[in-house]
Amino acid sequence: MKKKGILIYSILISMVFSFAIIYFVLALTIEYKTGNYRTERLFYTLCEDIENSADGFPAMDTIEKEGNFAAITIFKNRRCIFSYPSENAQNIESTKFIKVNKKTIQNGNSTLELTAALYTLRPLKIFQYGKFSFIVISIATLFTIGLIIYNSIKDDNEVEETDNDDPQEERSSDSHTETTSNEVEIERENANNDKENDDEDEKEDGDNNQGNAENSSEDIKTSDELKETEENNIINDEQNECNEAEQEQIAHSNSSTEYKNDEQNTDLNESTITEADSAGQDKQEIIENLSIQNNTTTIEEDSTSNQNETNTTDTVIDSSEASTNEAQEIFSVSTGFCLQNQLQTRLDAELVRCGASELDLSLFIVKITNSDISEEIAKKIGECLLHKIQFRDCIFEYGKNSFAFIIPEIEIEQAEDFAEELYTDISKIIDNTDAECFIGISSRTMRVISANRLINEAEEALEHATKDGKSKIIGFHVDIEKYRQFIKDKTK
C-alpha cells in the first residue's frame, strides 16, 4: 500500500471514529434538552388514562414503552393501591435526570393521588446510542486490522520474490563471466598458434636465424647486466635504511633473484642449442662457450653479493651505534630510569593524552633523605619502584636521591593510597638505616594544566612533607572552583 493510500485511509477511518463519538454525544444532549417537554407530555397522557380507566389503574403498555417512567404510585384514601416498578417506588425523589410530578385525579366517586417519576435522560436511549456507536467503531477497527495483516503478507511475498530474482541475476553474471573466460582462452589459443607459425618461418631461414640468435644473445647479456646493476642499486638503497629483519628479507630477495637468473640462463642455453641445431653448428662448441659465460656471471654475482654484505654490516653497526646513543640520552646508566630532563616533555605528552580522553593523572616525587645507604639498598629501591609502576619509561631520576614517576588514569585519593603502599615497601628496605622516605603528590584533577605547574605542585607537597615530619605523604589537593576563579582573574 502506497503512502498516499495510507494517508487517505487514515483520514477516512478517523472520520468514522469521530462520527461515532459525535453521534453518541449529540444524541444524548438532544435527549436531555427535550427531556422536560417530553416528561410533561407523558405525565398528561398518564393522567388521562387513569381518569378514563374503570379501576383507576394505568395501562402497563404505556408505562413500559421506551422506559420513560422511573416510578409510579397511586394512593386512594392514603392507601397505596398501585406501585411501579416495586413497592419502594414511593420513596423516589427528584434528581438531575429524574423529574417527579404529582397530581390529584378524580376517578368516578373516588379521589386518587398520582405520583410519577419520569426520566429526562432515559437509560434505554443511552444504551441504544452507545450500542450503535460501539458497533460502528468495532467494524472500522476490525477492517483496519484486516488491512494491516493483508499489507504485511503482501510485503513478505514481495520480499520473497526479490530474493528469488537475485539468484537469477547471479546466474546470469556467472554465465557472463564464463563466456568472457572462454573468450580469453580462445584468444590465448590463437596467440599460441601465431607463435608456432612464426617459429616455423624462422626455422626455414637458417642463416638469418643464426645472425639473429647471436644478436639476441648479446641483447640478452646486456639486459641481464642492466638488471643486475638495477638490483644492486635497489639493494644498496634499502640497506641504508634497514635493520636486522630487513637484512633477512634482502638476503631472501637475493636468493630469489639468483634462482631467477639461473632459470633464465638455462632457458637461454636451451634456446641457443636448438637454434644452433637448426643452423647446423656443432653442439659441443656452443655448450663450452655457454659454460664459460655462466662462470663469468657467477663470479660477478659473488663479488656484488660480498659488497652488499659489507654494506649491510656497516649500516647495521651504524644503526646500533645510533640506538645506543639515543638510549644514553634518555636513560640513566646507573639506575636504568629516565633522566630528569625527559620528565617535562613526557609529562606534557601524557597531560595532552589524558585531557583528550578526560582522564586524570598523578605525579609522584619520592625523596630519600639522610641517604648514607649502600648500592645494594639503592638497587632494591629501584627494583621496588619498577615492580610497583611496571613501566621503566615512566620513572625518572629527580635530583639527588629522589625519583619522580607518572601514573595516568588515577585520582588524588587513589594516588595517596598507592603512595602509602609504596612507602611501606620502601620503609622495609631502609629499616636498618638512618634514611627516611618522603612522598609528594600532585594531580591534574580535571584541569587544563601545564607540566611545569604540576611539577611545582608536587615539589610543594614534598617540601611540606619534609618540613612537617609527622606526615610522610602529602598530596596537593585543589579546589576546582577557586582554581577556575583564579584562571578567570588571570585571563582578565
mmCIF file of all heavy atoms in Angstrom, residues 243-259:
data_model
loop_
_atom_site.group_PDB
_atom_site.id
_atom_site.type_symbol
_atom_site.label_atom_id
_atom_site.label_comp_id
_atom_site.label_asym_id
_atom_site.label_seq_id
_atom_site.Cartn_x
_atom_site.Cartn_y
_atom_site.Cartn_z
ATOM 1 N N ASN A 243 67.170 -2.646 9.123
ATOM 2 C CA ASN A 243 67.675 -3.240 10.352
ATOM 3 C C ASN A 243 67.921 -4.726 10.119
ATOM 4 O O ASN A 243 67.982 -5.156 8.957
ATOM 5 C CB ASN A 243 66.692 -3.013 11.509
ATOM 6 C CG ASN A 243 65.306 -3.429 11.152
ATOM 7 O OD1 ASN A 243 65.130 -4.148 10.168
ATOM 8 N ND2 ASN A 243 64.323 -2.994 11.910
ATOM 9 N N GLU A 244 68.011 -5.467 11.194
ATOM 10 C CA GLU A 244 68.335 -6.888 11.046
ATOM 11 C C GLU A 244 67.237 -7.657 10.319
ATOM 12 O O GLU A 244 67.527 -8.542 9.503
ATOM 13 C CB GLU A 244 68.535 -7.492 12.440
ATOM 14 C CG GLU A 244 69.783 -6.969 13.129
ATOM 15 C CD GLU A 244 69.961 -7.555 14.508
ATOM 16 O OE1 GLU A 244 69.038 -7.866 15.110
ATOM 17 O OE2 GLU A 244 71.014 -7.703 14.982
ATOM 18 N N ALA A 245 65.957 -7.309 10.587
ATOM 19 C CA ALA A 245 64.858 -8.014 9.922
ATOM 20 C C ALA A 245 64.854 -7.737 8.434
ATOM 21 O O ALA A 245 64.631 -8.631 7.609
ATOM 22 C CB ALA A 245 63.528 -7.595 10.524
ATOM 23 N N GLU A 246 65.135 -6.470 8.055
ATOM 24 C CA GLU A 246 65.180 -6.119 6.643
ATOM 25 C C GLU A 246 66.356 -6.780 5.948
ATOM 26 O O GLU A 246 66.325 -7.083 4.762
ATOM 27 C CB GLU A 246 65.256 -4.601 6.494
ATOM 28 C CG GLU A 246 63.979 -3.894 6.923
ATOM 29 C CD GLU A 246 64.121 -2.390 6.860
ATOM 30 O OE1 GLU A 246 65.269 -1.944 6.685
ATOM 31 O OE2 GLU A 246 63.106 -1.701 7.016
ATOM 32 N N GLN A 247 67.440 -7.023 6.706
ATOM 33 C CA GLN A 247 68.594 -7.687 6.120
ATOM 34 C C GLN A 247 68.241 -9.107 5.688
ATOM 35 O O GLN A 247 68.669 -9.586 4.635
ATOM 36 C CB GLN A 247 69.723 -7.708 7.145
ATOM 37 C CG GLN A 247 71.049 -8.274 6.611
ATOM 38 C CD GLN A 247 72.119 -8.239 7.674
ATOM 39 O OE1 GLN A 247 71.851 -7.790 8.779
ATOM 40 N NE2 GLN A 247 73.290 -8.678 7.323
ATOM 41 N N GLU A 248 67.413 -9.776 6.530
ATOM 42 C CA GLU A 248 66.986 -11.128 6.154
ATOM 43 C C GLU A 248 66.130 -11.104 4.894
ATOM 44 O O GLU A 248 66.265 -11.957 4.014
ATOM 45 C CB GLU A 248 66.201 -11.737 7.301
ATOM 46 C CG GLU A 248 67.073 -12.019 8.515
ATOM 47 C CD GLU A 248 66.256 -12.580 9.666
ATOM 48 O OE1 GLU A 248 65.021 -12.692 9.483
ATOM 49 O OE2 GLU A 248 66.837 -12.900 10.712
ATOM 50 N N GLN A 249 65.249 -10.108 4.816
ATOM 51 C CA GLN A 249 64.418 -10.006 3.618
ATOM 52 C C GLN A 249 65.252 -9.758 2.372
ATOM 53 O O GLN A 249 64.990 -10.297 1.300
ATOM 54 C CB GLN A 249 63.403 -8.866 3.793
ATOM 55 C CG GLN A 249 62.369 -9.145 4.863
ATOM 56 C CD GLN A 249 61.416 -7.992 5.040
ATOM 57 O OE1 GLN A 249 61.578 -6.965 4.393
ATOM 58 N NE2 GLN A 249 60.428 -8.178 5.902
ATOM 59 N N ILE A 250 66.314 -8.943 2.502
ATOM 60 C CA ILE A 250 67.186 -8.672 1.349
ATOM 61 C C ILE A 250 67.912 -9.935 0.928
ATOM 62 O O ILE A 250 68.072 -10.221 -0.260
ATOM 63 C CB ILE A 250 68.183 -7.551 1.712
ATOM 64 C CG1 ILE A 250 67.428 -6.226 1.879
ATOM 65 C CG2 ILE A 250 69.262 -7.400 0.650
ATOM 66 C CD1 ILE A 250 68.220 -5.171 2.558
ATOM 67 N N ALA A 251 68.361 -10.715 1.932
ATOM 68 C CA ALA A 251 69.045 -11.962 1.596
ATOM 69 C C ALA A 251 68.111 -12.906 0.864
ATOM 70 O O ALA A 251 68.489 -13.585 -0.103
ATOM 71 C CB ALA A 251 69.562 -12.621 2.874
ATOM 72 N N HIS A 252 66.838 -12.942 1.339
ATOM 73 C CA HIS A 252 65.852 -13.797 0.671
ATOM 74 C C HIS A 252 65.605 -13.340 -0.766
ATOM 75 O O HIS A 252 65.502 -14.155 -1.684
ATOM 76 C CB HIS A 252 64.554 -13.762 1.473
ATOM 77 C CG HIS A 252 63.480 -14.611 0.874
ATOM 78 N ND1 HIS A 252 63.523 -15.983 0.884
ATOM 79 C CD2 HIS A 252 62.329 -14.261 0.238
ATOM 80 C CE1 HIS A 252 62.460 -16.459 0.269
ATOM 81 N NE2 HIS A 252 61.712 -15.437 -0.119
ATOM 82 N N SER A 253 65.558 -11.989 -0.952
ATOM 83 C CA SER A 253 65.333 -11.484 -2.308
ATOM 84 C C SER A 253 66.525 -11.767 -3.200
ATOM 85 O O SER A 253 66.388 -12.055 -4.386
ATOM 86 C CB SER A 253 65.056 -9.980 -2.253
ATOM 87 O OG SER A 253 66.193 -9.310 -1.776
ATOM 88 N N ASN A 254 67.773 -11.722 -2.629
ATOM 89 C CA ASN A 254 68.961 -12.045 -3.427
ATOM 90 C C ASN A 254 68.940 -13.485 -3.909
ATOM 91 O O ASN A 254 69.282 -13.788 -5.052
ATOM 92 C CB ASN A 254 70.222 -11.800 -2.597
ATOM 93 C CG ASN A 254 70.504 -10.313 -2.415
ATOM 94 O OD1 ASN A 254 70.205 -9.537 -3.309
ATOM 95 N ND2 ASN A 254 71.049 -9.935 -1.264
ATOM 96 N N SER A 255 68.502 -14.392 -2.977
ATOM 97 C CA SER A 255 68.441 -15.806 -3.360
ATOM 98 C C SER A 255 67.425 -16.021 -4.463
ATOM 99 O O SER A 255 67.626 -16.809 -5.388
ATOM 100 C CB SER A 255 68.106 -16.656 -2.142
ATOM 101 O OG SER A 255 66.840 -16.307 -1.664
ATOM 102 N N SER A 256 66.286 -15.304 -4.361
ATOM 103 C CA SER A 256 65.259 -15.468 -5.385
ATOM 104 C C SER A 256 65.726 -14.935 -6.728
ATOM 105 O O SER A 256 65.463 -15.530 -7.775
ATOM 106 C CB SER A 256 63.981 -14.750 -4.946
ATOM 107 O OG SER A 256 64.212 -13.379 -4.848
ATOM 108 N N THR A 257 66.484 -13.805 -6.708
ATOM 109 C CA THR A 257 66.973 -13.260 -7.985
ATOM 110 C C THR A 257 68.010 -14.182 -8.608
ATOM 111 O O THR A 257 68.063 -14.358 -9.829
ATOM 112 C CB THR A 257 67.580 -11.877 -7.747
ATOM 113 O OG1 THR A 257 68.550 -11.958 -6.700
ATOM 114 C CG2 THR A 257 66.509 -10.867 -7.345
ATOM 115 N N GLU A 258 68.863 -14.817 -7.739
ATOM 116 C CA GLU A 258 69.848 -15.769 -8.280
ATOM 117 C C GLU A 258 69.146 -16.955 -8.927
ATOM 118 O O GLU A 258 69.554 -17.449 -9.987
ATOM 119 C CB GLU A 258 70.763 -16.246 -7.156
ATOM 120 C CG GLU A 258 71.735 -15.158 -6.680
ATOM 121 C CD GLU A 258 72.546 -15.625 -5.482
ATOM 122 O OE1 GLU A 258 72.296 -16.767 -5.049
ATOM 123 O OE2 GLU A 258 73.396 -14.856 -5.015
ATOM 124 N N TYR A 259 68.038 -17.405 -8.225
ATOM 125 C CA TYR A 259 67.308 -18.537 -8.788
ATOM 126 C C TYR A 259 66.689 -18.164 -10.138
ATOM 127 O O TYR A 259 66.709 -18.942 -11.087
ATOM 128 C CB TYR A 259 66.230 -18.964 -7.790
ATOM 129 C CG TYR A 259 65.380 -20.116 -8.267
ATOM 130 C CD1 TYR A 259 65.886 -21.409 -8.312
ATOM 131 C CD2 TYR A 259 64.068 -19.888 -8.679
ATOM 132 C CE1 TYR A 259 65.092 -22.453 -8.751
ATOM 133 C CE2 TYR A 259 63.286 -20.919 -9.118
ATOM 134 C CZ TYR A 259 63.813 -22.218 -9.152
ATOM 135 O OH TYR A 259 63.025 -23.237 -9.583
#
